[in-house]
Amino acid sequence: MNTEEINRETDEKYMRRCLELAANGRQNAKPNPMVGAVIVSSDGRIIGEGYHVRCGEGHAEVNAFASVKPEDEALLGEATIYVSLEPCSHWGKTPPCADLIISKHVRRVVCGCIDPFAKVQGRGVKKLRDAGIEVTVGVLEQECLALNKRFITFNTHHRPYILLKWAQSADGFISGEGGRQVALSSPFTQMLVHKLRAENDAILVGRRTFDGDHPQLNVRLWAGRDPERLVLTHHCESIPEGFRAFDSIDSVLEYLYSEGKQSLIVEGGAQTLQAFLNRGLWDEIRVETAPVTLAAGVRTPQLPEGIELESQQDYDGQIIRVYRKATQKV
């Protein structure tokens, strides 16, 4: 293994630690991105680390520097700071992290990916380089982008990240005859659904699903905040308190973007899901297939062309497949 390969392997090792740290902010960092930071001395010892815990509070870099022990402060001049997302260069609720890094006189900065947010977008890296700091960009880039797929989609496409999900029978039905509700998830996969809800900002069903299934659309089987509950219907006046009604997909997306909601789960029914698919308005599709057959009922939506299978998990016969667009990088 040559020196370049060794250096890359080292950078990837510490960037993986950044990603582990960053994921701890999944619930409370929103609407900010999840970010982790690790400070490594010249002899390869981690002397500081942190992550962005909560919106409005210190960023990952701030928390990492704060964790450095007084006796290790002298090591910063030859240290490398690893950050999963480009350090910010603008004043928001907190000062610019790029300025903090410069003030600490670290030797090198390694960024997982460039921040797509309009006020950053390479400016943080430029500020660091202009200060004479060595900067490496793109270490585990796809993993770093994927971690903040909701934040990135929101800021690049000006709409929420859209996740379509449904459960189906082994022979391809989403519900029984006449739309009759059928339990197609196990207790464990139901819990996973509630975990997913806790990780997203809003959830949508169509009017038929709302009237037929009377879904609660909350996270009662998991810890976390309930997503905002939306119903797609032309009879908005009859939707009860606690739910928000919209008469079109466009009005849903416009509302969520204006409110800073970065992600939307679409749970059904079949017509609502197919409407999103027909317009190409999706970023992720999650399909749970139960080991049962129904023989008749409401058919599942048609998976679109140009998709790729990202993952497949088997939970006691319940198969969960996650698809993404084949050209999608995050």
Side-chain angles (χ1 to χ4, degrees):
M1 185 180 293
N2 59 39
T3 302
E4 182 178 342
E5 290 173 329
I6 292 172
N7 290 340
R8 185 177 68 249
E9 187 175 272
T10 299
D11 285 349
E12 289 181 353
K13 178 179 73 172
Y14 293 120
M15 191 58 69
R16 287 192 183 92
R17 177 57 181 161
C18 287
L19 289 168
E20 290 175 351
L21 290 165
N24 290 322
R26 189 176 302 277
Q27 290 289 346
N28 296 319
K30 296 185 293 187
N32 289 349
M34 293 173 277
V35 184
V38 174
I39 304 170
V40 181
S41 64
S42 59
D43 61 356
R45 182 165 59 91
I46 292 178
I47 59 174
E49 60 181 25
Y51 67 95
H52 184 39
V53 177
R54 187 174 288 102
C55 180
E57 298 182 3
H59 288 186
E61 299 93 324
V62 174
N63 293 330
F65 281 118
S67 75
V68 176
K69 295 178 180 179
E71 59 266 31
D72 289 333
E73 289 278 349
L75 302 176
L76 290 176
E78 293 297 320
T80 296
I81 181 168
Y82 293 83
V83 190
S84 55
L85 187 69
E86 175 186 12
C88 62
S89 58
H90 65 288
W91 279 84
K93 293 183 179 179
T94 58
C97 289
D99 290 354
L100 174 64
I101 292 171
I102 292 168
S103 73
K104 295 295 185 179
H105 306 291
V106 299
R107 181 182 64 84
R108 181 172 178 246
V109 177
V110 180
C111 301
C113 60
I114 294 295
D115 190 337
F117 185 51
K119 291 184 178 180
V120 186
Q121 285 188 325
R123 293 178 179 87
V125 167
K126 183 179 186 302
K127 180 177 279 193
L128 293 168
R129 286 174 173 161
D130 287 347
I133 296 174
E134 178 187 345
V135 182
T136 299
V137 179
V139 175
L140 297 184
E141 183 177 33
Q142 289 308 308
E143 290 90 335
C144 292
L145 289 169
L147 179 70
N148 285 303
K149 58 192 177 184
R150 297 164 180 84
F151 173 82
I152 291 170
T153 297
F154 184 84
N155 283 287
T156 55
H157 299 297
H158 306 293
R159 64 161 174 79
Y161 183 91
I162 301 171
L163 189 159
L164 310 182
K165 66 165 292 292
W166 66 84
Q168 64 183 37
S169 64
D171 53 349
F173 293 96
I174 199 170
S175 58
E177 289 187 272
R180 176 177 54 87
Q181 185 180 13
V182 179
L184 294 171
S185 295
S186 69
F188 181 77
T189 59
Q190 278 186 322
M191 182 186 70
L192 294 181
V193 168
H194 287 233
K195 176 178 181 292
L196 191 68
R197 291 175 180 175
E199 294 170 354
N200 289 275
D201 296 330
I203 187 168
L204 173 76
V205 295
R207 184 57 187 254
R208 289 185 180 179
T209 297
F210 185 77
D211 288 342
D213 297 351
H214 306 293
Q216 297 182 53
L217 304 180
N218 58 22
V219 295
R220 60 193 180 278
L221 301 180
W222 193 259
R225 290 189 292 263
D226 291 335
E228 184 163 6
R229 300 177 295 175
L230 314 178
V231 181
L232 195 62
T233 175
H234 291 296
H235 302 286
C236 299
E237 67 284 349
S238 59
I239 296 300
E241 186 178 352
F243 295 83
R244 189 180 292 270
F246 296 88
D247 62 3
S248 71
I249 291 175
D250 289 334
S251 62
V252 169
L253 300 184
E254 288 169 7
Y255 165 75
L256 292 175
Y257 184 72
S258 70
E259 292 294 311
K261 306 286 187 178
Q262 295 182 1
S263 56
L264 170 68
I265 301 174
V266 182
E267 282 206 0
Q271 289 186 358
T272 299
L273 288 161
Q274 195 63 55
F276 276 84
L277 288 166
N278 290 345
R279 294 183 55 182
L281 287 172
W282 65 275
D283 299 287
E284 181 178 336
I285 299 173
R286 180 186 186 276
V287 181
E288 177 179 349
T289 303
V292 300
T293 57
L294 297 180
V298 178
R299 281 285 180 186
T300 63
Q302 291 184 324
L303 289 173
E305 296 181 356
I307 66 172
E308 61 184 14
L309 180 66
E310 180 182 78
S311 65
Q312 177 173 311
Q313 299 290 332
D314 184 336
Y315 300 103
D316 295 325
Q318 301 283 137
I319 309 297
I320 296 179
R321 297 181 176 91
V322 176
Y323 301 91
R324 297 196 189 281
K325 294 178 180 177
T327 57
Q328 188 167 306
K329 298 300 183 184
V330 297

